[in-house]
Amino acid sequence: MTTGLQITRRKTLGLFAAAPLAGWAGKGFAAGATVKIGLVLTMSGPFASSGQIMANAAKLYLETEGKALLGDVPVELVIRDDGGANPDVAKRLVQELVTRDGVQYLGGFQWTPNANAIAPLLNRAKVPCVLFNASGANTTQLSPWYARTAFTHWQVNQPLGEWASGSRGLRRAYLLTTDFAPGHDAEEAFTKGFTNRGGEIVASVKMPIQSPNFVPFLLAAKEKMPDVVFAFHPGGVQASAFMRAYQEIGLRSAGIQLIGPGDLTSDEELPNIGPAALGVITAGQYSMAGDRPNNKLFIEAWKNAYTFSPVRPNYMAAGAYDGMHLICSAIAATGGKADAPAAIEAMKAFRAESPRGPISIDPETRDIIQNIYIREVRQQSGNELANVEIETIPNVRDPWKIAHPL
């Protein structure tokens, strides 16, 4: 298969036992026109490392499992940089990818505002688009051409709230969330789960998305002496800055539990955060520490492919890896032909064993169904910190869609 991708010390592995689409198992495909996949990612600016992680994961899938799935169907990745949360830039890039570059599929999209902005273009162009990370609950309702292999904050944070006030017995919560669409979803979802089990929200405070100083926000939270501080921010480099402030303010020594979605202690940032993260509890769909055969093979393949980079795979890598798997499954199901309706129908039938566990696409919403893991940062052998999975909530659908069907 010709992908036009270069990966250092590539190792071809028969990695993961993906469930084939019904009726397509073992079907061969003749070589034909190259299928172009356009990825819109943040490859510059303060969140460039996240975009690079997703680009690496997408390439890794094509160079390993994708080869076996696609056979002789040639695929080309066309990666474009949106520079961050820039809806106008995202629209321009999608317009160019569709009209100039002739892409047959779209993927990527770290930012919900960017993903939401391109929905009218998808509706006109009828191009399937897989969301690797954008997590706004209503995004997939904006166009029938979306599918999602990421998560929604309702899917992660409502179960976390129920666990915190139910299983953990925490009664009073102080909320700190970044002031943009995913932060609003995180706030509302955690609130619903926490209060459903008898918890009380002491205060809910929004933080700016750009270069926030977390210290005054955490000081104000400490003054209220809640049982728990729930926090959400966009992750990446902000994870280390937040945890430094958390340590400086002394929330843990004051007996206040810090919890939140996986962005708080994302795997790639744990080495930078250091011991400040110990004991922090998060909910998420992926952890490098997950004790699953497919996860161990995924990490081995990542290390073999990217020996030049110290960056570790995280939840964004899982979203991009599985997103490319979903796109390649649709390409296989359509024999590489440009048949968008058939591609979307194939995506609705998708199910696989992923590094994060069993996954499938909900045919009603085109959102992912997946396990949500409650994790605690613990020190493992060699003094390495890890998000250790301590409880599994299986096969979680997006609860926002259940409450807000079309």
Side-chain angles (χ1 to χ4, degrees):
M1 179 182 70
T2 302
T3 64
L5 305 174
Q6 298 296 320
I7 295 184
T8 301
R9 287 182 58 189
R10 190 197 47 173
K11 184 177 180 182
T12 302
L13 302 171
L15 296 183
F16 313 129
L21 297 174
W24 290 96
K27 185 175 178 63
F29 302 104
T34 297
V35 178
K36 292 185 177 182
I37 304 168
L39 300 186
V40 178
L41 298 168
T42 300
M43 305 298 290
S44 62
F47 293 97
S49 61
S50 298
Q52 189 62 60
I53 285 172
M54 286 193 279
N56 286 354
K59 294 173 185 177
L60 183 62
Y61 182 80
L62 286 177
E63 291 292 333
T64 53
E65 289 298 287
K67 287 182 175 292
L69 182 58
L70 292 175
D72 293 331
V73 178
V75 170
E76 177 185 349
L77 284 186
V78 185
I79 299 176
R80 296 290 181 261
D81 176 20
D82 59 24
N86 298 308
D88 289 338
V89 173
K91 288 190 289 186
R92 174 176 58 80
L93 294 175
V94 166
Q95 186 78 32
E96 292 173 357
L97 284 166
V98 172
T99 60
R100 186 185 67 191
D101 298 305
V103 302
Q104 200 166 311
Y105 295 86
L106 288 163
F109 298 97
Q110 285 162 252
W111 303 96
T112 294
N114 294 7
N116 289 352
I118 69 160
L121 300 179
L122 298 182
N123 292 336
R124 290 200 295 271
K126 297 179 172 57
V127 175
C129 178
V130 177
L131 302 174
F132 292 179
N133 186 67
S135 56
N138 75 321
T139 300
T140 52
Q141 292 187 341
L142 301 178
S143 172
W145 303 103
Y146 282 123
R148 178 163 22 214
T149 54
F151 61 103
T152 75
H153 278 288
W154 281 88
Q155 190 177 38
V156 171
N157 290 305
Q158 183 172 326
L160 176 60
E162 292 170 350
W163 178 87
S165 57
S167 301
R168 193 75 168 194
L170 301 169
R171 300 287 78 186
R172 301 171 70 250
Y174 192 106
L175 278 54
L176 292 173
T177 55
T178 300
D179 191 10
F180 75 131
H184 303 166
D185 280 356
E187 173 196 24
E188 294 172 14
F190 181 84
T191 297
K192 183 173 178 60
F194 195 74
T195 57
N196 276 353
R197 298 295 176 87
E200 172 194 357
I201 304 301
V202 175
S204 185
V205 178
K206 293 183 171 57
M207 304 178 293
I209 189 171
Q210 297 292 344
S211 304
N213 177 7
F214 294 115
V215 170
F217 292 101
L218 287 166
L219 273 173
K222 185 179 180 181
E223 288 177 0
K224 293 288 187 180
M225 286 301 296
D227 297 322
V228 60
V229 168
F230 168 85
F232 164 80
H233 55 64
V237 293
Q238 288 196 11
S240 295
F242 185 90
M243 294 306 298
R244 283 195 298 270
Y246 163 74
Q247 186 175 40
E248 177 183 337
I249 299 308
L251 259 67
R252 182 169 60 184
S253 60
I256 300 170
Q257 177 68 59
L258 177 62
I259 66 175
D263 315 71
L264 277 186
T265 60
S266 189
D267 288 312
E268 86 285 4
E269 282 294 321
L270 270 181
N272 298 327
I273 295 170
L278 285 169
V280 175
I281 291 175
T282 58
Q285 68 277 18
Y286 175 76
S287 169
M288 276 189 70
D291 189 17
R292 292 174 288 279
N294 284 356
N295 191 33
K296 293 176 181 177
L297 290 169
F298 172 62
I299 293 167
E300 178 190 357
W302 184 281
K303 290 178 178 177
N304 287 331
Y306 301 117
T307 56
F308 60 88
S309 172
V311 175
R312 311 191 307 172
N314 64 357
Y315 68 96
M316 293 184 185
Y321 192 91
D322 291 333
M324 192 55 62
H325 187 174
L326 179 60
I327 291 172
C328 288
S329 293
I331 294 171
T334 57
K337 297 184 177 69
D339 188 342
I344 285 291
E345 288 305 309
M347 289 182 181
K348 292 178 182 179
F350 178 83
R351 61 180 58 247
E353 282 295 326
S354 158
R356 56 180 128 170
I359 61 171
S360 61
I361 297 298
D362 187 331
E364 298 298 320
T365 67
R366 289 158 283 105
D367 273 301
I368 192 168
I369 301 171
Q370 60 189 330
N371 294 345
I372 299 299
Y373 303 99
I374 305 297
R375 306 102 50 84
E376 182 177 0
V377 177
R378 296 177 179 175
Q379 192 166 294
Q380 295 190 315
S381 60
N383 295 325
E384 184 173 89
L385 298 180
N387 289 299
V388 176
E389 296 167 0
I390 60 175
E391 190 167 328
T392 300
I393 305 169
N395 300 318
V396 180
R397 286 178 160 83
D398 176 22
W400 189 88
K401 299 278 189 334
I402 295 172
H404 301 86
L406 280 176

